[in-house]
Amino acid sequence: MRLEIKSTDRIGITQEILAIFSNHSWSLRAIEVIPYFTYVRIEDVSVLGDDIASLLRNIDGVIYCKAIDLLPSERRENHLQTLLDRIPDPIIDIDERGTVLAVNKATLGLLDENDREIEGQPIITFIDQPLSVVLTDRAATCTLAFKGNTYIADITPVSSIGNIVGTVLTLRTMNTLGRQIALMQPRKEQGIESIIGQSEKMKLLIEQTIRYAELELPVLVTGETGTGKELIARAIHNASSRSKAPFLAINCAALPEHLLESELFGYASGAFTGAQKGGKPGLFELANGGTLFLDEVAEMSVYLQAKLLRFLQDFRYRRVGGTTELSVNVRIISATHQDLAKLIQKQLFREDLFYRLNVLSLDLPPLRERQSDIPLLAKYFINNAAKQVNQGIPVMSDDALLTLKSYNWPGNIRQLQNILFRVVALNNKAVIEQSDLSTVLSQINDTMEPFNDESGYGSVKDWATAQAMFERKLLQELYPFYPTTRKLAKRLNVSHNKIAMKLRVHGLEHNK
């Protein structure tokens, strides 16, 4: 029974009230006192509230006594627990010895029926980290395996009079973190409606993109540099059933082999010197439920190609240095500007991986093959450029537009965007004339070195041939001074596996 007793604020009145309970040997389980009110909880079921009230009315200053459902502290605790239960992330409160004091409803959802009585148990029976990791004197974030599943744990120490008396753990799933990362990326103009073009090739491309968005299959996007491969990948994701899940992208050519491996697969605690305590999730974990875009996938080393192929078989993998096998649900969209068929012939790209990635394919046409779209693209880029430099939107003369159409655009849409931004930024006229455009184009051409036929590059058939010639010449010159694959790899800041592979391709492995 719980009672609320209202009285005047008279010195000693609380003592007189409690004396009534003591004289009758009623078992008091709790008492709370605030000005004008005394709250008591008794366990004697035989005692009637009316009997207590009649006795208390004999005390000078007692106004009334009535039964209530909850004490004020119990009501506050219920409200606090309701508030915690509304939070979707699991929250665990532990004391300075690592004993679980309280959890919210989301935490109970992670437990088996046998573990529901988690309160009062040591936290180390549920996590894979030593107690010292979660009992810290400063706020921290680390990866934590709770009941076999990996989470990002926000650790908030609880202090009292300068002493740490416990910790509050907030667990976030990798998928939640991936969505937060994706939300930090710009999301405007990333849908299919942002693909600009009315040419026949672009109409077909848009139709294929819409269709591919509905299919849960890998997509390989090919096309020259600057044709908008990432835009297409984002459009596929945003039009798919995964649109509310993370879209994460990585350029496979931007990182050395070992860094790219840890970025994709993550690493376990202590996997290597300098590894973050508690390990680090990879992009596969963070993109779980969503899409991972592998740009310039042809630049992957043969070792990583094999590891990616193994992952694509059943979407299971281990972190670098880890022993636990993880499973994710992620859609892979890859892109390259290189001819994968030729790389396969040269054994630079795995044929079996090609078939895994190339279930659906999109080939983006270069800008020179869709000249009818240039006016639409030019108008769009001019409008954006004018807004960025805070000036009026100019129009383009017919002669200037004809110049745009007649230009070869080796850098495709990206080059067109940069050229038009420079034209708008350098001019504040209402009309962009041919002379304005020609000036900027001539500046671009002047910065490019002309071909020197004596160098041997003037007669190359394509980009791959020129690249191979350059690689062979570079290796021939440096290999005598760095006569091992590791020394040469360190000099060129790449993996020694890549150097060994290149030496074999060019027949230089024994040519010191």
Side-chain angles (χ1 to χ4, degrees), residues 56 90 101 121 129 131 151 172 177 182 186 247 267 391 447 460 472 480:
L56 292 177
L101 299 178
Q121 297 192 47
Q129 296 279 42
L131 188 59
Y151 300 88
R172 290 180 294 151
L177 182 59
F247 175 91
Y267 57 80
Q391 66 183 41
T447 60
V460 295
R472 180 179 176 83

Side-chain angles (χ1 to χ4, degrees), residues 35-332:
Y36 304 104
F37 290 94
T38 301
Y39 298 91
V40 295
R41 176 185 172 188
I42 62 174
E43 291 299 320
D44 295 309
V45 296
S46 61
V47 181
L48 299 177
D50 291 340
D51 294 339
I52 297 175
S54 63
L55 291 172
L56 292 177
R57 278 195 292 267
N58 296 326
I59 299 176
D60 181 27
V62 172
I63 300 173
Y64 68 76
C65 173
K66 66 177 183 180
I68 58 175
D69 295 328
L70 296 170
L71 300 182
S73 61
E74 293 173 328
R75 185 178 294 108
R76 287 193 300 270
E77 183 177 347
N78 277 8
H79 280 274
L80 178 59
Q81 189 63 47
T82 301
L83 175 63
L84 290 175
D85 289 342
R86 292 295 300 273
I87 299 175
D89 295 326
I91 297 176
I92 306 172
D93 183 19
I94 62 176
D95 64 15
E96 68 275 13
R97 294 183 298 274
T99 303
V100 178
L101 299 178
V103 298
N104 66 345
K105 189 175 181 179
T107 304
L108 296 177
L110 306 178
L111 301 172
D112 302 327
E113 290 295 332
N114 298 332
D115 296 325
R116 288 302 177 93
E117 298 299 328
I118 183 175
E119 296 180 6
Q121 297 192 47
I123 187 64
I124 57 173
T125 61
F126 300 92
I127 64 176
D128 67 343
Q129 296 279 42
L131 188 59
S132 58
V133 173
V134 295
L135 282 180
T136 175
D137 59 353
R138 62 183 62 188
T141 299
C142 69
T143 57
L144 196 70
F146 183 86
K147 293 291 292 182
N149 295 317
T150 304
Y151 300 88
I152 296 293
D154 291 329
I155 304 172
T156 305
V158 179
S159 60
S160 176
I161 318 177
N163 297 320
I164 302 301
V165 295
T167 294
V168 175
L169 301 178
T170 303
L171 307 181
R172 290 180 294 151
T173 63
M174 296 301 174
N175 184 257
T176 300
L177 182 59
R179 286 198 304 269
Q180 292 173 345
I181 294 174
L183 286 173
M184 296 174 64
Q185 301 174 349
R187 297 185 62 85
K188 294 182 179 179
E189 302 171 352
Q190 293 183 349
I192 292 178
E193 68 280 357
S194 65
I195 303 175
I196 300 174
Q198 295 182 350
S199 62
E200 291 302 319
K201 288 188 176 183
M202 289 307 297
K203 288 180 180 179
L204 177 60
L205 178 66
I206 293 173
E207 290 177 2
Q208 291 178 317
T209 302
I210 295 173
R211 176 59 180 150
Y212 288 177
E214 301 172 354
L215 305 175
E216 291 288 322
L217 296 170
V219 182
L220 177 63
V221 184
T222 58
E224 296 180 5
T225 299
T227 50
K229 294 186 286 294
E230 184 170 348
L231 174 65
I232 294 296
R234 289 183 181 273
I236 293 174
H237 170 79
N238 289 334
S240 72
S241 59
R242 299 173 179 261
S243 58
K244 294 183 179 180
F247 175 91
L248 302 179
I250 187 170
N251 190 321
C252 299
L255 296 172
E257 179 185 89
H258 64 285
L259 289 182
L260 180 59
E261 181 182 16
S262 62
E263 284 295 313
L264 289 175
F265 297 93
Y267 57 80
S269 180
F272 50 83
T273 303
Q276 179 177 308
K277 183 182 293 186
K280 177 185 175 183
L283 291 179
F284 288 128
E285 283 178 80
L286 297 176
N288 190 21
T291 304
L292 180 62
F293 176 56
L294 302 176
D295 196 11
E296 299 299 345
V297 69
E299 299 295 333
M300 269 191 179
S301 67
V302 176
Y303 163 73
L304 278 184
Q305 290 177 34
K307 194 165 183 177
L308 177 60
L309 176 66
R310 174 67 184 84
F311 167 76
L312 292 175
Q313 289 175 359
D314 55 9
F315 292 94
R316 302 184 68 86
Y317 69 100
R318 293 184 180 90
R319 286 184 176 184
V320 176
T323 57
T324 304
E325 193 168 61
L326 304 174
S327 176
V328 294
N329 173 21
V330 64
R331 184 181 190 180
I332 301 295

Side-chain angles (χ1 to χ4, degrees), residues 308-371:
L308 177 60
L309 176 66
R310 174 67 184 84
F311 167 76
L312 292 175
Q313 289 175 359
D314 55 9
F315 292 94
R316 302 184 68 86
Y317 69 100
R318 293 184 180 90
R319 286 184 176 184
V320 176
T323 57
T324 304
E325 193 168 61
L326 304 174
S327 176
V328 294
N329 173 21
V330 64
R331 184 181 190 180
I332 301 295
I333 301 179
S334 51
T336 182
H337 71 277
Q338 298 195 50
D339 188 337
L340 291 182
K342 291 184 178 179
L343 294 181
I344 292 171
Q345 291 178 356
K346 297 178 181 179
Q347 296 184 343
L348 299 178
F349 198 83
R350 293 181 63 108
E351 185 175 9
D352 45 6
L353 177 60
F354 172 75
Y355 293 128
R356 287 281 185 181
L357 298 175
N358 193 35
V359 179
L360 304 174
S361 62
L362 287 172
D363 186 32
L364 275 58
L367 188 55
R368 60 183 174 275
E369 295 181 6
R370 42 180 295 213
Q371 292 185 352

